[in-house]
Amino acid sequence: KKWEYIMPGLVHSSPAYSEKYSIIVCGCNDFSVYGLEAKTGKLIWKFDTEGEVKASFAFDDKLGLLAFGSFDKSIYVLETRTGKLKFKIESNGGIYSNPLIEDGLLYVSSLDKFLYCVDLSNGKIIWQFGTRGRIFSSPEFVEGKIYIGSNDGILYELDAITGKNTGLINVTERITNKITYNPKTKRFFLPTFANEIYCLEKIPKQVVL
């Protein structure tokens, strides 16, 4: 064992690591996020929210930012090096999913049934997409599209820039985890709350003459 750091509350959050900044970040049910030096476990900074932090984090090493959600219904963007607040974006439900950062855009799903797309350059919501169920699953980016499952039993395919719904599939149970994708076979793997795993392929667009 190299080091350990004991937090004052239960830890449901998964830690995240930035190689560039040599930092480990982890959330806690004491409403706080801890930034630790990766090699030594020394506390670099601590950031307090108003709710439990149960999910993991996303880094944008180019901008020097990290993002996460809290059960206080807020999405936070911090400076990775200092833990200083950059942006705070309000939703209408707790956040129980991992955020995703792709090309300067932040995607976060909420228990308010919406997926949010935020511009990391200014902290503004570009678009939001509503489903018919609470969202526990995390978004995934594949070839210009965002894929997100919901408790309504639907996997949605959205345009990453506009948020337009470009495809979907309805399955038998809630979708509480994110998909995975094999770029070689072009197949998606989708787990559901009913102990199922679906293997999916996209249907080519039909040309109407």
Side-chain angles (χ1 to χ4, degrees), residues 32-48:
S32 299
V33 173
Y34 296 82
L36 309 172
E37 190 175 273
K39 290 184 178 180
T40 66
K42 178 183 177 182
L43 180 65
I44 302 172
W45 52 257
K46 175 175 174 282
F47 182 84
D48 298 324

Side-chain angles (χ1 to χ4, degrees), residues 25-157:
V25 180
C26 192
C28 182
N29 280 4
D30 70 346
F31 298 7
S32 299
V33 173
Y34 296 82
L36 309 172
E37 190 175 273
K39 290 184 178 180
T40 66
K42 178 183 177 182
L43 180 65
I44 302 172
W45 52 257
K46 175 175 174 282
F47 182 84
D48 298 324
T49 75
E50 297 179 8
E52 297 95 336
V53 180
K54 292 182 175 290
S56 195
F57 304 79
F59 290 99
D60 189 319
D61 284 342
K62 184 180 295 185
L63 296 175
L65 301 175
L66 68 90
F68 68 96
S70 168
F71 260 52
D72 65 7
K73 304 180 182 180
S74 297
I75 302 160
Y76 292 90
V77 179
L78 310 181
E79 294 179 355
T80 303
R81 195 184 302 277
T82 65
K84 182 180 178 181
L85 179 65
K86 188 76 172 177
F87 305 116
K88 180 180 179 181
I89 303 101
E90 303 290 345
S91 76
N92 293 305
I95 312 294
Y96 210 160
S97 62
N98 300 336
L100 169 70
I101 294 177
E102 190 71 35
D103 295 329
L105 298 179
L106 167 65
Y107 304 91
V108 187
S109 59
S110 170
L111 298 182
D112 67 2
K113 306 179 183 180
F114 281 87
L115 173 70
Y116 295 88
C117 175
V118 177
D119 187 340
L120 281 178
S121 68
N122 56 27
K124 302 297 184 181
I125 296 174
I126 299 175
W127 55 260
Q128 59 191 60
F129 179 82
T131 72
R132 294 178 297 175
R134 295 191 296 170
I135 306 178
F136 289 85
S137 67
S138 302
E140 184 64 289
F141 178 87
V142 177
E143 298 179 359
K145 305 289 186 180
I146 296 294
Y147 293 85
I148 186 71
S150 171
N151 272 16
D152 61 11
I154 298 176
L155 175 69
Y156 297 89
E157 178 192 77

Side-chain angles (χ1 to χ4, degrees), residues 133-199:
R134 295 191 296 170
I135 306 178
F136 289 85
S137 67
S138 302
E140 184 64 289
F141 178 87
V142 177
E143 298 179 359
K145 305 289 186 180
I146 296 294
Y147 293 85
I148 186 71
S150 171
N151 272 16
D152 61 11
I154 298 176
L155 175 69
Y156 297 89
E157 178 192 77
L158 310 174
D159 184 277
I161 304 300
T162 66
K164 180 182 178 181
N165 185 196
T166 55
L168 58 82
I169 184 171
N170 204 158
V171 295
T172 58
E173 248 287 7
R174 291 163 285 175
I175 302 170
T176 55
N177 289 294
K178 74 173 185 177
I179 64 152
T180 190
Y181 177 69
N182 185 333
K184 292 182 179 180
T185 63
K186 304 290 185 180
R187 289 181 174 178
F188 301 82
F189 299 91
L190 171 67
T192 76
F193 206 70
N195 302 324
E196 305 165 322
I197 296 180
Y198 289 80
C199 177

